[in-house]
Amino acid sequence: MSKPIRALINARLLDPATNSDTQGGVLIEKGKILDWGTQITKDTLPDGAKIEDCNGYCLAPGLVDAHAYLCEPGKEHRETMATAGMAAAAGGVTTINAFPATEPVIDDPALVEMVQRRAKNSCAVKVCITGALTKGLLGEEMAEMGLLSEAGVVAVSDGQFAIQNINLMRRALAYSTMFDLPIIVHAEDPALAAGGVITGGRTATFMGLKSVPTCAEAILVERDIRLVKMTGARWHAAHLSTGDALDTMRRAKNDGLNVTAGTAPHYHALNDLELGEYRTFARVSPPLREEEERLAVIEGIKDGTIDIISSQHLPQSADSKRVPFAQAKPGVIGLETMLPVSLRLYHNGDVDLLRLLHTMTVAPAKLLGLEAGAIRKGADADLFLFDTEKPWQVDGDALLSKSKNTAFDGHLLQGRVLKTFVRGKAVFEL
Amino acid sequence: MTNSDPIRFAHRHLLDIARLNATDINQILSLAEHYAEIARTPDKKRDLLRGKTQINLFFENSTRTRTSFELAGKRLGADVINMSVGSSSVKKGETLIDTAMTLNAMHPDVLVIRHGDSGAPHLLAQKVDCAVINGGDGSHEHPTQALLDALTIRRRKGRLEGLIVAICGDIQHSRVARSNIALLNIMGARVRIVGPTTLIPSNAAKMGVEVYNKMSEGLKDADIVMMLRLQTERMQGSFVPSIREYFHFFGLNKEKLSVAKKDALIMHPGPMNRGVEIDSEIADDLNISAISEQVEMGVAVRMACLDLLSREIVE
């Protein structure tokens, strides 16, 4: 018995892969996209098709979040595959790239299989895995990149830790080329950043907090870019937050190097003034920067120097945030708010909608080598429906993540996800 | 060609393969063939080097190379002295040149030196009056190893020219690889190097080799597969992540070997790390492994080198 064809009609179809923005519909059969385009209307549907009217709202390929921490296994008090899956679905995210800072660390091929199995059983959206770059994320010895790659990891990274030992970084980059694995880096010189909890600048000085100089980012990017030039590796800066580092990226891209850059919504939407009154919930690493750097990040998104916006979703328990600022753990959740916060860039006229979606679909899918991020015949029907205009106020406690450490609690946002489909199945509906 | 029919050798020292030509190499190999035959007879001893003194000066631990040189010298009738770093005044802070001058004052005829620094034999050769043989210097060259490998290949395959030789493993730190690349290129073989990117030197292609990172590609249609030893300190996360990963991607087993020519010959300079770079099922298969023969040819090649370098240079 075959399942009936489903038709999503009367939608504004946004496909950043083909740069198309049209009215039309999508036909779904057995979880796959059977057809899509302007020709799919109420009048052209196959017999027996189950119709869903999108009422003119935007239908786009499901978002691919290139950078998130799922905390399972080992830190389930902060987040689980199940809760992260619900939060992702509510944010229009249909694929999460899970980082390896679990317990144990994903530095062993056997763990990759285990995590994949758990994700399949309990996460509403798709999960791909980034393996550890060094054993135990300790920055001392290369992890088994080859075996991890064969087990299915899509990238390697030490997550929030940058590699201090430049020789190790050199070898890791050289080694990664054999498996065509991108290395995702936390671009912050570890010695300069050590102990710093806020960006160097006026706010830090007044607040009396130990700061990280902004150049810590550019120095590491500059260092790594030179190693990339020597080794020919694929390299991705997870989240850039300063103009100087972006200038270095521009040069590297002009030189034709295989490098890409990401940022997170909090770096284009917030600055260090958020930390007034010692708001630990806005403590992130790298730290929120001064206003001129935030504007430079927007410039980077506009001119394509920044390829990817990812959530940098890092759940932290309330206990680890309700402490004096310097003791608070860095990190914010972001799966649910990545798109709505980033829509500010669209509403402010900084980037058009397709370009903005590109940073959360096509670009991360390309980095990670995934068949995702596009509306394509024959592909899985991973899609989401959203309203670019709907105003709402973020209520941290109402977010679906197990941890509620959002930096946007109380913020007024414009634009919201209405419905999310993974393999044609609705996994979220507002 | 034997010593009763002396033909002079064009070099005073044997410092590296790179400065030899095909004629030099053929001369050594032909003479070594002759010594290989003698070594298989009951009367192995000759008195060609009687009255001559050979000093083996080993700054690095070695069993097989030192023994091989010692045996070669003794079979030719030389007085052989072994000096290893543990018992020498080097431990007391003497420089290489001072050591050389001291030994030189004892009027040796041949000095065999192994040293952890590339170029050490070359420095020694400038300071002493006798012939110097490089028994391995740093990551530079190990010329007698390449010669014994060449002899082994020539005996098994009848030629060197046109053969596809895949040298696999830690090329970066290997003096055996550099000597073999030089020799095989001079003799017209097609040389490939295969290894992880972290163990292949930059600009490797400029040595006249084809570079591969996959065994399945590098071993395709190879006539000879030379495996190199991977040092323990390099397999735990610095150059390669782990032994199991190295063995998975670069360890030679029957499956990886299946893409090579059907009659491909396996070589290894020793000592082998079984389960790291080579599987026992291959190392111990006498039909495909030439590893014991390499050791046998080592003595013969070193006899030929000692013989040639001890001959009077007649202008």
Side-chain angles (χ1 to χ4, degrees):
Chain A
M1 170 188 122
S2 65
K3 282 191 180 174
I5 291 171
R6 288 168 58 209
L8 308 179
I9 57 159
N10 189 25
R12 178 181 172 192
L13 292 171
L14 293 161
D15 182 43
T18 51
N19 209 35
S20 77
D21 180 351
T22 55
Q23 294 296 315
V26 177
L27 294 182
I28 300 170
E29 188 182 35
K30 293 177 188 161
K32 307 265 186 199
I33 294 173
L34 186 65
D35 198 4
W36 69 283
T38 48
Q39 74 282 11
I40 314 286
T41 66
K42 206 172 175 181
D43 308 321
T44 63
L45 297 180
D47 290 341
K50 195 179 152 223
I51 300 169
E52 284 182 52
D53 193 323
C54 296
N55 299 315
Y57 288 124
C58 299
L59 189 63
L63 305 180
V64 177
D65 186 354
H67 191 175
Y69 297 83
L70 299 194
C71 304
E72 184 178 343
K75 299 173 182 176
E76 286 89 346
H77 62 291
R78 283 153 57 176
E79 189 82 286
T80 64
M81 295 275 188
T83 54
M86 289 192 291
V93 174
T94 56
T95 304
I96 306 173
N97 181 28
F99 266 53
T102 45
E103 277 178 26
V105 166
I106 305 173
D107 61 1
D108 187 299
L111 270 171
V112 177
E113 285 160 35
M114 189 267 272
V115 173
Q116 276 166 341
R117 200 169 52 244
R118 281 208 196 185
K120 208 171 169 185
N121 291 340
S122 60
C123 190
V125 304
K126 294 176 179 174
V127 173
C128 61
I129 298 168
T130 287
L133 175 60
T134 67
K135 292 172 191 163
L137 308 179
L138 297 174
E140 289 162 4
E141 298 170 348
M142 259 194 276
E144 293 167 313
M145 275 183 236
L147 296 175
L148 286 168
S149 172
E150 286 194 348
V153 304
V154 293
V156 284
S157 177
D158 269 6
Q160 300 179 82
F161 308 106
I163 306 287
Q164 175 98 64
N165 181 336
I166 186 166
N167 228 343
L168 174 64
M169 192 63 191
R170 172 201 173 167
R171 289 188 192 129
L173 285 164
Y175 197 78
S176 70
T177 60
M178 287 193 289
F179 310 102
D180 197 30
L181 269 185
I183 292 184
I184 302 179
V185 302
H186 177 90
E188 192 172 52
D189 182 84
L192 282 171
V197 296
I198 184 171
T199 193
R202 190 179 166 278
T203 311
T205 305
F206 277 83
M207 289 174 79
L209 291 169
K210 186 164 184 206
S211 64
V212 183
T214 51
C215 68
E217 185 169 279
I219 285 170
L220 193 115
V221 171
E222 184 76 45
R223 178 196 87 171
D224 278 10
I225 293 287
R226 282 163 197 266
L227 296 175
V228 167
K229 203 166 179 176
M230 178 168 68
T231 55
R234 290 175 65 197
W235 179 94
H236 175 72
H239 31 62
L240 294 185
S241 59
T242 66
D244 281 352
L246 289 167
D247 284 342
T248 304
M249 282 302 298
R250 276 187 194 98
R251 277 206 313 280
K253 287 186 163 191
N254 278 336
D255 290 348
L257 299 182
N258 211 341
V259 294
T260 48
T263 196
H266 36 275
Y267 298 116
H268 71 65
L270 303 176
N271 62 27
D272 64 343
L273 296 175
E274 287 294 318
L275 305 172
E277 304 302 317
Y278 299 92
R279 266 193 73 219
T280 56
F281 278 67
R283 192 188 155 198
V284 287
S285 173
L288 295 178
R289 305 293 186 182
E290 294 189 291
E291 179 63 6
E292 61 178 297
E293 309 293 352
R294 185 184 77 87
L295 297 176
V297 167
I298 292 174
E299 201 53 46
I301 296 169
K302 275 161 82 170
D303 72 9
T305 306
I306 289 174
D307 305 85
I308 293 171
I309 295 175
S310 62
S311 70
Q312 209 194 355
H313 179 85
L314 175 53
Q316 297 288 11
S317 65
D319 293 345
S320 64
K321 285 288 191 183
R322 296 211 173 95
V323 289
F325 193 88
Q327 292 174 32
K329 290 204 173 143
V332 292
I333 54 168
L335 283 165
E336 271 176 271
T337 50
M338 174 168 76
L339 179 84
V341 170
S342 296
L343 279 171
R344 280 187 184 172
L345 297 169
Y346 160 69
H347 292 302
N348 292 342
D350 291 318
V351 290
D352 68 45
L353 203 49
L354 281 170
R355 163 84 195 114
L356 184 66
L357 288 172
H358 193 277
T359 65
M360 292 177 263
T361 53
V362 179
K366 187 178 169 209
L367 172 73
L368 305 171
L370 303 173
E371 288 279 326
I375 308 180
R376 196 165 34 227
K377 267 193 206 178
D380 282 352
D382 299 342
L383 301 162
F384 80 109
L385 191 67
F386 69 104
D387 175 0
T388 55
E389 307 305 315
K390 189 180 177 67
W392 63 294
Q393 184 172 25
V394 179
D395 171 6
D397 290 337
L399 294 175
L400 299 174
S401 270
K402 195 161 183 180
S403 296
K404 312 296 182 188
N405 54 310
T406 174
F408 295 97
D409 192 26
H411 281 237
L412 294 168
L413 301 178
Q414 189 180 357
R416 198 154 193 195
V417 175
L418 304 174
K419 195 165 184 180
T420 303
F421 304 87
V422 174
R423 295 186 192 92
K425 185 184 157 209
V427 291
F428 169 79
E429 189 160 10
L430 187 67
Chain B
M1 188 195 321
T2 71
N3 200 61
S4 57
D5 172 24
I7 294 175
R8 70 192 173 89
F9 188 56
H11 302 269
R12 180 174 160 72
H13 306 292
L14 180 63
L15 297 178
D16 42 44
I17 297 292
R19 67 187 71 194
L20 304 183
N21 60 30
T23 311
D24 300 329
I25 292 165
N26 279 323
Q27 193 181 0
I28 297 169
L29 297 184
S30 300
L31 187 56
E33 282 283 6
H34 163 71
Y35 283 122
E37 278 166 40
I38 290 178
R40 288 186 175 182
T41 65
D43 180 19
K44 301 176 176 63
K45 183 111 174 173
R46 295 292 181 271
D47 59 359
L48 219 71
L49 299 190
R50 197 175 60 179
K52 307 232 179 200
T53 306
Q54 171 191 342
I55 300 180
N56 295 335
L57 182 58
F58 276 62
F59 290 90
E60 273 187 352
N61 288 334
S62 159
T63 308
R64 65 184 65 210
T65 304
R66 207 213 63 214
T67 309
S68 182
F69 269 110
E70 183 177 353
L71 200 55
K74 284 182 170 165
R75 284 189 179 163
L76 290 172
D79 296 317
V80 184
I81 312 291
N82 288 315
M83 281 189 60
S84 58
V85 70
S87 59
S88 80
S89 46
V90 172
K91 275 242 159 134
K92 298 170 192 160
E94 192 174 66
T95 66
L96 180 61
I97 289 177
D98 286 340
T99 307
M101 297 316 291
T102 305
L103 295 176
N104 195 47
M106 299 175 193
H107 301 294
D109 299 281
V110 182
L111 257 177
V112 180
I113 176 177
R114 165 168 288 193
H115 200 284
D117 287 329
S118 303
H122 305 67
L123 180 63
L124 202 69
Q126 291 166 19
K127 297 291 170 188
V128 297
D129 301 321
C130 65
V132 173
I133 297 179
N134 180 358
D137 65 324
S139 301
H140 175 228
E141 280 224 34
H142 190 356
T144 55
Q145 178 71 42
L147 288 162
L148 74 87
D149 287 341
L151 183 60
T152 309
I153 297 170
R154 212 172 76 164
R155 286 164 64 95
R156 287 281 191 112
K157 298 286 177 194
R159 68 196 161 100
L160 292 167
E161 195 179 351
L163 295 179
I164 298 177
V165 183
I167 306 177
C168 311
D170 183 358
I171 311 291
Q172 168 90 49
H173 303 97
S174 175
R175 51 195 174 213
V176 174
R178 283 180 183 72
S179 281
N180 266 308
I181 290 167
L183 188 145
L184 292 164
N185 273 332
I186 292 167
M187 304 308 283
R190 247 180 85 187
V191 187
R192 297 174 180 170
I193 58 177
V194 192
T197 44
T198 42
L199 294 172
I200 301 264
S202 45
N203 301 308
K206 292 195 174 134
M207 294 194 290
V209 298
E210 299 161 48
V211 181
Y212 294 90
N213 299 126
K214 287 202 173 94
M215 293 286 272
S216 58
E217 293 167 8
L219 262 53
K220 194 158 193 324
D221 299 324
D223 296 285
I224 310 289
V225 180
M226 278 188 188
M227 300 307 296
L228 299 173
R229 177 181 168 74
L230 182 64
Q231 304 282 350
T232 320
E233 65 269 22
R234 295 182 183 128
M235 32 173 124
Q236 305 284 7
S238 53
F239 289 87
V240 295
S242 66
I243 290 173
R244 70 174 180 180
E245 174 147 330
Y246 187 79
F247 188 72
H248 181 75
F249 290 103
F250 296 99
L252 187 65
N253 57 15
K254 288 220 158 128
E255 190 200 334
K256 294 199 190 81
L257 187 61
S258 65
V259 299
K261 286 223 178 82
K262 225 176 148 191
D263 60 348
L265 193 63
I266 312 305
M267 304 175 75
H268 193 299
M272 285 183 280
N273 293 308
R274 290 169 189 266
V276 178
E277 71 256 351
I278 193 161
D279 195 317
S280 288
E281 66 176 0
I282 290 204
D284 299 334
D285 185 340
L286 292 177
N287 293 320
I288 53 173
S289 162
I291 295 168
S292 306
E293 194 172 339
Q294 285 174 276
V295 178
E296 182 187 355
M297 291 309 120
V299 179
V301 152
R302 285 164 185 132
M303 288 173 81
C305 293
L306 289 167
D307 176 351
L308 287 168
L309 291 172
S310 305
R311 292 177 185 184
E312 294 299 320
I313 295 178
V314 191
E315 289 301 328

